[in-house]
Amino acid sequence: MRALPGLRGLRGPPSLQLPLLLLCLLAAVRRGWADGNTTGAKATGPSWGGRARLGPASPLTTLPIREEMMTKYSNLSLESHNISLTEQSSVPVEKNITLERPSRIELTCNFTASGDVNSVNVTWKKGDEQLTNYCINATGKNLYTQYMFTIINSNQMGNYSCFFEEEKKQRGTFNFRVPEVQGKNKPLVTYVGDSTVLICKCQHCSPLNWTWYSSNGSIQVPVDVHVNDKYAINGTNANETRLKIMQLSEDDKGSYWCHAVFQLGESQMHVELVVLSYLVPLKPFLGIVVEVIILVAIILFCEMYTQKKKMHTDDGKEFEQVEQLKSDDSNGVENNAPRHRKSESVSQ
């Protein structure tokens, strides 16, 4: 029996001989099929990295990467996402992807070219870092590129972009991020001596842990329920956390942050707490009372001034009347004196 090419000289520990044997068998079978399959529809074979190329490529190119991913991360779920681009795309196309736990990722970009697909340069980047081991395939005017990898920690999160450069560069970006935490957007207003509850939620996700921080400036301080008994942290579900603050004082006002810890990173949300004294709601009422008192005082002053002025006017009129009477009496006496003299002269 003649050994198949590629199976000679198989060395190594017994635990690795069987996987290597299966790998070589699969490679030989796929090579034989590729060599024998010379008829059929005309299509572009896959290439790896750089400029798109027509023609068959070695089937062994994809084998090591895919085999490693299948064996090491076979228990992880597969996330497949794609973006379509054309030469007429005026702005980069972006897609936001929420990822809570480690997963196998399959990113595909489709580009419709107007000219020869061989003239299109294809690249992948994570942020500003150049990536390798991506697949390129073409069918007619459509150019496909695929990048497969596994996200198992927070360092692998971020932006993954595919670039198609012909006359101008087109970009498609996949943004990976952990789930967002939701809370109360408006400030929570309460009063001194009361109790309040701050709530944070994460829709359709289950964080590994929740942590609360308080900040009255730029520094965040963890809320320790074991040191200060005025705090209590609980939650009815894994996707929810509640911070209860009892016997509030004005020192408790400020920002409170809830941190959700996931396998691939952290997400946070802040809630603004406003603590007022009971005199604060009375201030508008006291202001109104003061305004009323001032208005009444002005009215009384005007009334008193009017009455006083009226009294002075009446006194003046009475004085004029008295003077008029006195003057009339004096005129009457003077008029009677000549008459009296005339009567005396007549009698004589």
Side-chain angles (χ1 to χ4, degrees):
M1 180 177 178
R2 187 171 58 89
L4 291 174
L7 296 183
R8 297 175 181 173
L10 187 62
R11 298 179 180 179
S15 59
L16 294 178
Q17 289 182 3
L18 182 59
L20 290 174
L21 179 62
L22 294 175
L23 184 62
C24 293
L25 284 172
L26 181 59
V29 171
R30 292 185 62 180
R31 185 185 294 110
W33 179 85
D35 295 338
N37 188 18
T38 58
T39 61
K42 190 175 182 180
T44 303
S47 62
W48 289 86
R51 193 174 298 277
R53 298 192 301 271
L54 294 176
S58 173
L60 289 175
T61 311
T62 64
L63 210 53
I65 299 174
R66 297 192 180 217
E67 189 71 21
E68 180 184 359
M69 292 177 61
M70 290 175 62
T71 55
K72 189 174 181 180
Y73 304 111
S74 59
N75 59 330
L76 300 181
S77 61
L78 177 64
E79 293 273 344
S80 299
H81 302 279
N82 61 79
I83 285 179
S84 296
L85 298 167
T86 63
E87 286 187 345
Q88 288 73 33
S89 300
S90 57
V91 294
V93 179
E94 295 193 11
K95 185 174 183 179
N96 296 324
I97 303 169
T98 301
L99 206 59
E100 180 181 352
R101 56 183 59 89
S103 303
R104 292 181 293 126
I105 307 299
E106 184 180 273
L107 303 181
T108 304
C109 290
N110 175 24
F111 178 72
T112 303
S114 59
D116 186 8
V117 294
N118 286 310
S119 63
V120 180
N121 188 36
V122 181
T123 55
W124 279 85
K125 288 184 178 181
K126 178 186 183 298
D128 296 328
E129 178 187 356
Q130 192 85 19
L131 298 176
T132 58
N133 296 328
Y134 50 87
C135 176
I136 302 172
N137 197 1
T139 303
K141 296 293 184 180
N142 293 325
L143 185 62
Y144 302 89
T145 179
Q146 186 179 78
Y147 182 62
M148 297 182 64
F149 63 106
T150 303
I151 294 181
I152 58 175
N153 55 51
S154 59
N155 295 329
Q156 295 171 303
M157 300 289 280
N159 304 326
Y160 291 80
S161 301
C162 58
F163 295 88
F164 297 90
E165 189 172 0
E166 193 176 11
E167 294 180 357
K168 60 179 182 178
K169 183 179 290 188
Q170 302 292 345
R171 174 170 62 89
T173 301
F174 302 88
N175 300 315
F176 287 90
R177 59 189 182 186
V178 295
E180 293 183 352
V181 177
Q182 300 174 352
K184 190 176 180 64
N185 295 325
K186 296 181 179 179
L188 181 61
V189 181
T190 185
Y191 297 95
V192 173
D194 290 347
S195 298
T196 188
V197 177
L198 310 180
I199 302 175
C200 284
K201 294 181 179 180
C202 183
Q203 296 291 341
H204 310 296
C205 62
S206 299
L208 300 176
N209 188 29
W210 289 96
T211 307
W212 281 92
Y213 295 85
S214 65
S215 65
N216 209 354
S218 59
I219 301 176
Q220 294 185 3
V221 180
V223 175
D224 194 344
V225 296
H226 303 290
V227 175
N228 199 334
D229 56 359
K230 72 181 301 178
Y231 298 111
I233 299 177
N234 52 47
T236 55
N237 302 312
N239 66 336
E240 179 183 280
T241 180
R242 296 170 178 261
L243 173 63
K244 185 176 182 180
I245 309 175
M246 295 161 283
Q247 296 297 319
L248 287 167
S249 64
E250 292 189 2
D251 296 334
D252 294 323
K253 65 182 179 181
S255 297
Y256 288 82
W257 297 81
C258 57
H259 287 241
V261 181
F262 300 94
Q263 296 183 43
L264 300 177
E266 293 185 5
S267 181
Q268 65 180 7
M269 179 69 184
H270 91 281
V271 181
E272 193 71 22
L273 179 63
V274 179
V275 182
L276 304 175
S277 66
Y278 283 103
L279 293 178
V280 173
L282 293 177
K283 287 181 179 179
F285 175 74
L286 294 176
I288 295 174
V289 171
V290 171
E291 290 179 358
V292 170
I293 292 174
I294 293 174
L295 182 60
V296 170
I298 292 173
I299 293 173
L300 292 176
F301 177 76
C302 292
E303 189 69 23
M304 292 173 61
Y305 177 77
T306 304
Q307 291 292 336
K308 188 175 181 181
K309 187 175 180 181
K310 186 177 180 180
M311 290 175 61
H312 284 296
T313 304
D314 294 341
D315 292 341
K317 289 182 179 180
E318 290 179 359
F319 179 75
E320 289 177 359
Q321 291 176 358
V322 171
E323 291 295 328
Q324 185 67 30
L325 290 175
K326 288 182 179 180
S327 118
D328 291 342
D329 291 341
S330 62
N331 291 335
V333 171
E334 291 176 357
N335 292 334
N336 289 332
R339 291 178 184 175
H340 184 66
R341 293 192 191 98
K342 287 182 181 180
S343 60
E344 288 179 354
S345 61
V346 172
S347 61
Q348 292 176 359

